[in-house]
Amino acid sequence: MDRERVLELFDRYGDMVYRVALGYLRSSQEAEDAVQTVFLKLLEGAGTPWPGRERAFLTRITINHCKDILRSAKRYADTPLEELDLPAPPEDQEVFRAVMDLPEKYRLAVTLHCFEGYTFQEIARLLHIGPSAVSMRVHRAKTILKQQLGREE
């Protein structure tokens, strides 16, 4: 893929790739590294997204890369959530921190649905699970968040 196209995709989807990576890796440094690696893979010709499917393509590459990192034998300790530079406005940081404390399967479903705007069907295709499983994970995550935050929203 040519450099100009990759830069255009980076400008458009760089923040989204960062948020997905942060949801998986829970470390801002590793999430930043993942963003660089994902777009470097595009430059090296790891694949070309179909027009109109760039967002899903980048999400899938990001998820796969994050899973590879998590599987690697040597893994550094997570950065405490208090030290993270969160990609959320100050009034939403409490909610974002609570989402990052969720178990991985709930955290990813909520991040993709609530923060990135994916539908249950899209998330199901990305995660290779059923739409009802995605719906249940989001519902359970919201229940946990309501309990943690003491809210009825």
Side-chain angles (χ1 to χ4, degrees), residues 34-120:
V35 171
Q36 290 177 4
T37 302
V38 165
F39 287 100
L40 186 60
K41 285 180 181 181
L42 288 179
L43 274 174
E44 294 172 346
T48 303
W50 292 356
R53 301 285 300 154
E54 295 93 352
R55 185 171 158 229
F57 181 79
L58 288 169
T59 301
R60 186 74 252 167
I61 290 176
T62 304
I63 289 170
N64 289 342
H65 178 69
C66 291
K67 284 182 176 181
D68 290 344
I69 290 172
L70 292 172
R71 268 188 244 124
S72 67
K74 293 184 180 179
R75 176 104 162 91
Y76 298 103
D78 288 339
T79 304
L81 288 174
E82 293 76 32
E83 297 176 17
L84 287 178
D85 182 24
L86 300 176
E91 62 273 7
D92 294 338
Q93 289 192 0
E94 178 186 9
V95 174
F96 195 82
R97 288 181 198 282
V99 169
M100 291 296 114
D101 278 337
L102 290 170
E104 181 180 331
K105 67 181 184 178
Y106 299 137
R107 183 175 62 240
L108 186 58
V110 167
T111 300
L112 291 174
H113 181 67
C114 297
F115 296 146
E116 300 305 327
Y118 280 95
T119 65
F120 292 154

